Amino acid sequence: MPGDTKGRILAVARELFVEQGVQNTSLRQISERLGITKPALYYHFASRDDLVRSIVEPLIEDIERFVRGREPAGDPRELLGDYFDLMWRHREVIVMMVRDLSTLSHLDLGARMFAWRRQIVALLLGPDLTREQHIRATVALGGMSDCAVEYAELPLEEVKPTAVEAAAVALGI
């Protein structure tokens, strides 16, 4: 079934990209692990870049939906918790991107990620912030993302409360 093959390709590629990095993973390695030919892989994905884009796209869509669907006056701790959940869901993709930072630049994600972070900070603290508030927000949100990756083997219920509380303290909320 073609949809199943595409899903298997994405799962194996994500696994190899996380283990070895995007640049160190060939399409041959992916096809061999799947037991399919390279032409069969190319039937579903035109290139490694196309494959990487397909893996990263759900994260992009979720972040864009997250920042668009929020009200500025909402509960900041709830927003932090929801943001942590988002990072937790996509922790493998985040590891993949951090492991191979060229993925960010190649897909033009670096600037977009900073823009999303600025939007989230504005939702948390408002539009007119001091430099200190910006720095605290960077530490808080970056630290939450790092926790989702660093402690991925632990249960969510063990990591999330501490990460959210630490971020709230850093933000002074």
Side-chain angles (χ1 to χ4, degrees):
M1 163 184 262
D4 183 49
T5 300
K6 190 171 187 170
R8 286 181 36 234
I9 292 169
L10 288 168
V12 167
R14 182 182 308 108
E15 182 181 310
L16 286 170
F17 291 157
V18 168
E19 287 173 16
Q20 304 175 170
V22 173
Q23 297 305 317
N24 294 327
T25 302
S26 68
L27 292 179
R28 181 187 51 77
Q29 289 173 308
I30 295 167
S31 64
E32 284 177 359
R33 184 164 294 184
L34 285 161
I36 63 174
T37 64
K38 254 175 81 174
L41 188 81
Y42 279 117
Y43 173 78
H44 295 282
F45 299 97
S47 65
R48 182 173 51 189
D49 290 344
D50 186 33
L51 186 53
V52 170
R53 198 175 338 281
S54 294
I55 291 170
V56 174
E57 192 62 37
L59 169 64
I60 293 169
E61 290 170 357
D62 277 0
I63 292 174
E64 288 179 349
R65 216 177 358 263
F66 183 85
V67 295
R68 270 196 321 265
R70 293 292 174 158
E71 295 297 321
D75 177 5
R77 284 183 181 252
E78 181 181 328
L79 187 139
L80 286 173
D82 292 347
Y83 180 74
F84 186 83
D85 289 340
L86 173 66
M87 295 297 101
W88 188 265
R89 268 193 317 279
H90 295 284
R91 63 191 178 276
E92 285 184 341
V93 175
I94 294 168
V95 168
M96 183 183 99
M97 292 185 324
V98 168
R99 183 168 197 166
D100 195 341
L101 292 175
S102 66
T103 303
L104 290 175
S105 63
H106 186 70
L107 295 175
D108 193 33
L109 285 176
R112 289 169 77 183
M113 296 198 81
F114 283 120
W116 294 324
R117 183 172 285 174
R118 283 190 301 277
Q119 289 175 287
I120 293 168
V121 169
L123 288 169
L124 282 165
L125 302 174
D128 300 319
L129 305 178
T130 65
R131 185 172 312 276
E132 180 184 345
Q133 287 174 308
H134 276 285
I135 292 169
R136 287 176 172 272
T138 299
V139 169
L141 296 178
M144 287 178 60
S145 297
D146 288 353
C147 284
V149 169
E150 182 73 24
Y151 303 106
E153 77 286 350
L154 297 175
L156 170 67
E157 303 77 32
E158 193 173 322
V159 181
K160 181 180 175 181
T162 304
V164 170
E165 179 60 27
V169 168
L171 291 167
I173 55 175

